[in-house]
Amino acid sequence: MKITLNSPLDMHVHLRDGEMLNNVAPYSSKCFAGAIVMPNILPPVTTLEELKAYKNRILKAIGEDKFEPYMTLFFKNNWTYEFLKEAKHFIKAVKLYPSGITTNSENGVSDFKIENLKPTLEAMSDLNIPLLVHGETNGFVMDREKEFGVFYKKIALAFPKLKIIMEHITDRNSVKLLKEIDNLYATITLHHLLLTFDDVAGGKLKPHLFCKPIAKRYEDKEALLELALNAYPKIMFGSDSAPHPQNKKESNECAAGIWTAPIALPALCELFEKYNKLDNLQKFVSDNAQNIYNFKPIEKKVVLEKGEFLVPEKYNNVVPMFAGKKLSWKCN
Ligand code: DOR
Ligand code: ZN
């Protein structure tokens, strides 16, 4: 059995830089037609010069593959309309991180008062540039996304024309907000469709399943599955594939991030097949994103075939999700 996906897209990926970029980017470019690339490298991508140079490094890392990196800037609250008007030619979105909440987010936002965010958000709204948000407070770890809901609501209502994408949602409360508020959209990862907190820390601690936001309760996972398997039009696939070197994961201070790039589409096929929903996969991994972002990706047919895929233990120094396990689909 085979399925052919038309231009699958990963609407949230970390490709990193330097040696890591060269190691991981080919696994995204092989099976996806394009991906929204996160700007949280060091230093974060905040200028167009940095952005263009980073894009060139990505294109070099992927070689001959047909793949478009869709670039993002790391949010700053004092950009002018003129700057963003120019930036719009080179970016698909702007990514906002609360300060210190995850990898390389120290220069993120620490004050969510509307007046503080207004110059940039007003211009983005006028220019129709989507705002991508890592939605967590620094409260109790299981409640962080729920607590951030207050800000999602506040920003969405203050800028009703601004497209706001709640990145990697993990909590039932975000599902509720998504359904209630017109200008909220969301990405969902593979791992949050598969894991609960129990899988991460209920038995022996699993550093390779540790990510931000942390996987939540069974009911949260069920609420996400309901959206993804039915390809709810306001959601799209964003892997949040986030590689770290093995020694940074298997460490006293484990870095947050799960690397799923090489296994994402096979594992999604397996999941959608299990629930008899393979017919909705095309929408989840491409069509919904095209509608939400209002764009056409490059034409690329990606064939997935039923058959054993023994996931390697590591790819150089990076351990993927499902390392050493067998998946029942593979990407040709
Ligand atoms: O687990 C995560 N890792 N969550 C994020 O939001 C960032 C990412 C990373 O960059 O490592
Ligand atoms: Zn991310």
Side-chain angles (χ1 to χ4, degrees), residues 105-120:
S105 62
E106 288 68 26
N107 297 320
V109 170
S110 46
D111 179 354
F112 279 87
K113 277 201 219 62
I114 294 294
E115 309 89 88
N116 185 41
L117 307 173
K118 197 169 175 182
T120 296

Side-chain angles (χ1 to χ4, degrees), residues 125 130-131 152-166 177-186 234 292:
S125 173
L131 174 74
Y152 273 134
K153 207 164 175 171
K154 201 163 87 171
I155 301 170
L157 297 180
F159 303 95
K161 294 217 177 77
L162 179 66
K163 240 172 219 178
I164 300 168
I165 297 159
M166 302 189 283
L177 286 176
L178 180 76
K179 292 186 171 172
E180 269 170 23
I181 301 178
D182 279 356
N183 55 329
L184 289 180
Y185 301 83
K234 292 180 85 185
I292 294 169

Side-chain angles (χ1 to χ4, degrees), residues 6-293:
N6 293 316
S7 306
L9 299 167
D10 181 348
M11 300 308 280
H12 181 137
V13 73
H14 297 268
L15 295 180
R16 311 299 194 210
D17 212 345
E19 214 178 297
M20 182 63 100
L21 167 66
N22 293 329
N23 184 21
V24 302
Y27 298 101
S28 289
S29 61
K30 178 175 175 233
C31 289
F32 290 96
I36 297 270
V37 180
M38 291 299 123
N40 66 330
I41 55 172
L42 271 179
V45 185
T46 55
T47 68
L48 294 183
E49 290 64 43
E50 287 162 346
L51 182 128
K52 289 175 202 169
Y54 184 36
K55 184 171 180 179
N56 284 334
R57 296 197 293 280
I58 295 169
L59 290 173
K60 206 164 152 212
I62 63 174
E64 298 296 300
D65 281 344
K66 244 176 126 183
F67 173 84
E68 264 186 291
Y70 304 121
M71 306 306 289
T72 61
L73 282 168
F74 190 101
F75 180 92
K76 288 179 81 173
N77 66 351
N78 58 357
W79 282 326
T80 61
Y81 181 88
E82 286 65 37
F83 170 73
L84 286 165
K85 191 171 171 206
E86 167 72 2
K88 198 181 163 174
H89 299 295
F90 305 99
I91 62 172
K92 272 271 183 292
V94 166
K95 175 74 187 283
L96 184 155
Y97 289 91
S99 173
I101 205 68
T102 189
T103 311
N104 302 337
S105 62
E106 288 68 26
N107 297 320
V109 170
S110 46
D111 179 354
F112 279 87
K113 277 201 219 62
I114 294 294
E115 309 89 88
N116 185 41
L117 307 173
K118 197 169 175 182
T120 296
L121 292 189
E122 205 160 58
M124 284 175 61
S125 173
D126 291 346
L127 289 160
N128 206 8
I129 300 173
L131 174 74
L132 319 185
V133 183
H134 182 117
E136 289 194 285
T137 65
N138 56 9
F140 177 63
V141 70
M142 293 295 277
D143 296 335
R144 286 177 186 179
E145 187 172 314
K146 189 166 182 207
E147 288 176 4
F148 197 87
V150 178
F151 300 113
Y152 273 134
K153 207 164 175 171
K154 201 163 87 171
I155 301 170
L157 297 180
F159 303 95
K161 294 217 177 77
L162 179 66
K163 240 172 219 178
I164 300 168
I165 297 159
M166 302 189 283
E167 294 295 329
H168 42 58
I169 56 169
T170 63
D171 189 300
R172 276 163 295 165
N173 186 59
S174 303
V175 174
K176 193 163 161 271
L177 286 176
L178 180 76
K179 292 186 171 172
E180 269 170 23
I181 301 178
D182 279 356
N183 55 329
L184 289 180
Y185 301 83
T187 55
I188 300 183
T189 72
L190 165 71
H191 46 274
H192 292 117
L193 293 172
L194 296 174
L195 305 173
T196 69
F197 186 69
D198 254 6
D199 298 299
V200 186
K204 286 183 178 166
L205 188 66
K206 301 285 194 328
H208 296 291
L209 301 182
F210 172 64
C211 66
K212 298 283 178 69
I214 194 88
K216 306 286 186 319
R217 292 175 176 77
Y218 178 80
E219 308 83 273
D220 297 301
K221 188 182 83 164
E222 288 297 297
L224 301 178
L225 272 171
E226 165 77 21
L227 292 180
L229 294 170
N230 295 305
Y232 184 71
K234 292 180 85 185
I235 57 129
M236 55 206 150
F237 175 61
S239 68
D240 199 13
S241 177
H244 292 277
Q246 185 174 17
N247 67 321
K248 292 272 188 313
K249 294 291 293 173
E250 297 170 13
S251 150
N252 188 33
E253 293 198 343
C254 172
I258 305 180
W259 189 50
T260 52
I263 58 96
L265 286 180
L268 280 172
C269 283
E270 205 174 281
L271 178 70
F272 277 60
E273 185 187 34
K274 177 177 157 198
Y275 288 93
N276 212 1
K277 292 283 187 180
L278 272 175
D279 286 351
N280 286 339
L281 189 57
Q282 174 65 37
K283 287 190 189 132
F284 181 58
V285 299
S286 188
D287 302 355
N288 284 4
Q290 295 181 41
N291 292 334
I292 294 169
Y293 275 74

Side-chain angles (χ1 to χ4, degrees), residues 303-316:
V303 179
L304 285 121
E305 196 183 346
K306 194 98 205 249
E308 188 180 294
F309 169 27
L310 176 60
V311 181
E313 291 288 349
K314 42 184 154 168
Y315 293 68
N316 295 322

